[in-house]
Amino acid sequence: MKTTIHIIGSGFSSLAASCYLAKAGYDVTIFEKNSTIGGRARQLKRDGFTFDIGPTWYWMPDVFERFFSDFDKRPSDYYTLEKLNPAYSVYFGKDDFITIEDTLEKICIAFEKEEKGSSKKLLKFINQAKSNYDIAIKDLVYNPGLSPFELVTPKTIGKLNQFFSTIKKDVRKEFNNNRLAQILEFPVLFLGAKPSATPSFYSFMNYADFGLGTFHPKKGMYQVILAMEALALSLGVKIKTNSSIDKILVNKAGEAKGLNSNGVNYYSDYVLSGADYHHTETLLDKEFRQYSESYWEAKTFAPSSLLFYVGFDKKLRNVNHHTLFFDVDFGLHAQDIYDNAKWPEDPLFYASFPSITDGSSAPEGKEAGIFLIPLAPGLEDTPKLRETYFNKIIKRFETLTSQKVSDSILFKESYCVNDFIKDYNSYKGNAYGMANTLLQTAFLRPKLKSKKVKNLFFTGQLTVPGPGVPPSLISGKLASELIVKDISTNKKITTRTLKQNENNF
């Protein structure tokens, strides 16, 4: 009889794990609380416009390649990728921006125009970042976070000092130009912490940015979710939507034995949760929870976000597919996220216009716009605040890009702290999980395997390797490998016990 495994949630990590576990021969069922799969990576469709609700950046294509190759597939079997050129642009003032193109050579030219001699420093910096990338993404992040010794390899010994310095220190030591420094500090924001709190080793994100480039899946990031769903279904995975979980069933022996969903018990041999880690533990009786409320309260969480999905009745000018607006003080905004936990007076923001690249995102002659303001998790979230901040960024957007757009808005929909809590049971409404600071790296993150409940495992952005889409794919693989190992160990123990019993007769 097949081992049965129930998975909570259908985001990237859950879908990845389901594929690996089904390939290993197990009976796998995914339970998704929402009406559509994808977790934070769902889609919004309205009036001929299509928006990715969550992730919009496709970085580290090699991680996606590696995932699909584990099943003798390629991303191109499911969706079409386009490398963006330019990758993105960064505004620092009215009609004042730096464009990051699709090759390191072109980026060096842009840096040199901004500051003479900076291209040589950039090449040195990216060479170091590539070295870190080769170690981290091809090796370290595929460890399950069980021991500090996972970080100690012949390749990392010489880089230990990089775990005790920070991205900000390294960048500012080489680059005096504040604009160039901000561009180099930007990629680690995907890891959920300030550059001043992110270890230098994470400069591998700069290689992902400048070395590998930025891509767009035709029809949006949701195509990756649909690809993983198709793969999972082909392997025999079953998916139940509209299936909120009320409780994880634990027997008297302290073993996870299934889930209660919508008042019905569904029994299984193993449970894997890709849902919010903190929320998952609330589905257990207190005696089975590993981490206290004070533990979670003390952790540094990645930001939440205020997002707007906007349909414009015309094509916009002076913007690229991805456009960053760094025209205000980055340090003050960062303090309001990580130190003061309040709504920022003058927020930085990011905008994505997928219809510039992809005609399927908006009707002809119109533009789909996604605007994002990073926020501290746990903030008050009201319709009035949302409207206030929309007006703030749209006025700045109009000034910076020298165009009137407010009278061309067909509709807008917003998404913020309350929605992250409602749709994903997200701790304090965070958007990206737990930040990758020094004390929240690798073995110092919440564990993939429960220490208190047998046969209960976790995956996703609050555990290893951390926040982001590629790490989520890796997290699903790591969790599945631990489950496969656990099943194999239990079978050996059972077989040995049976043989011992037979010898007693």
Side-chain angles (χ1 to χ4, degrees), residues 104-105 107-113 115-126 175 180:
L104 184 55
E105 290 77 14
I107 297 168
C108 281
I109 293 171
F111 267 55
E112 198 65 25
K113 284 181 180 177
E115 181 183 342
K116 194 175 174 82
S118 62
S119 61
K120 289 182 180 179
K121 295 177 183 178
L122 178 63
L123 288 173
K124 178 184 174 184
F125 184 80
I126 295 300
F175 297 88
L180 297 183

Side-chain angles (χ1 to χ4, degrees), residues 174-381:
E174 295 293 336
F175 297 88
N176 297 320
N177 184 293
N178 186 56
R179 291 145 64 100
L180 297 183
Q182 283 187 299
I183 290 172
L184 288 171
E185 290 167 353
F186 147 69
V188 300
L189 297 179
F190 285 103
L191 301 174
K194 292 187 292 186
S196 59
T198 303
S200 300
F201 185 73
Y202 285 102
S203 67
F204 63 73
M205 292 295 292
N206 293 102
Y207 177 71
D209 181 5
F210 287 2
L212 297 176
T214 304
F215 295 79
H216 173 73
K218 190 175 181 182
K219 297 185 179 180
M221 286 291 289
Y222 197 66
Q223 295 306 302
V224 185
I225 290 292
L226 295 179
M228 296 177 75
E229 177 193 35
L231 176 60
L233 293 174
S234 73
L235 292 165
V237 176
K238 296 178 285 293
I239 300 175
K240 295 172 66 69
T241 54
N242 297 307
S243 297
S244 181
I245 304 303
D246 302 311
K247 194 171 185 63
I248 295 173
L249 306 177
V250 181
N251 66 13
K252 291 181 179 179
E255 300 170 322
K257 282 299 175 184
L259 305 169
N260 182 282
S261 174
N262 298 330
V264 178
N265 287 342
Y266 296 88
Y267 296 98
S268 63
D269 299 303
Y270 282 79
V271 171
L272 170 64
S273 178
D276 179 273
Y277 205 123
H278 170 269
H279 170 72
T280 300
E281 290 221 308
T282 68
L283 301 176
L284 297 162
D285 292 334
K286 282 191 176 180
E287 63 188 288
F288 296 124
R289 298 173 190 174
Q290 304 171 90
Y291 304 109
S292 65
E293 287 299 318
S294 59
Y295 169 89
W296 295 111
E297 189 65 37
K299 294 301 175 184
T300 301
F301 273 79
S304 184
S305 298
L306 170 56
L307 292 131
F308 296 99
Y309 310 98
V310 186
F312 294 96
D313 68 0
K314 67 178 182 181
K315 302 300 289 183
L316 304 188
R317 297 180 290 106
N318 303 327
V319 289
N320 289 310
H321 184 124
H322 297 298
T323 308
L324 303 165
F325 295 87
F326 286 3
D327 57 305
V328 297
D329 192 316
F330 174 88
L332 287 178
H333 189 168
Q335 285 177 20
D336 291 339
I337 295 173
Y338 297 101
D339 304 326
N340 307 321
K342 66 177 185 178
W343 282 84
E345 186 65 32
D346 293 307
L348 287 81
F349 65 99
Y350 152 71
S352 173
F353 304 97
S355 45
I356 289 176
T357 302
D358 190 342
S360 68
S361 299
E364 188 174 353
K366 296 179 172 56
E367 205 86 270
I370 302 169
F371 295 83
L372 182 152
I373 302 172
L375 299 171
L379 294 182
E380 178 188 18
D381 172 16

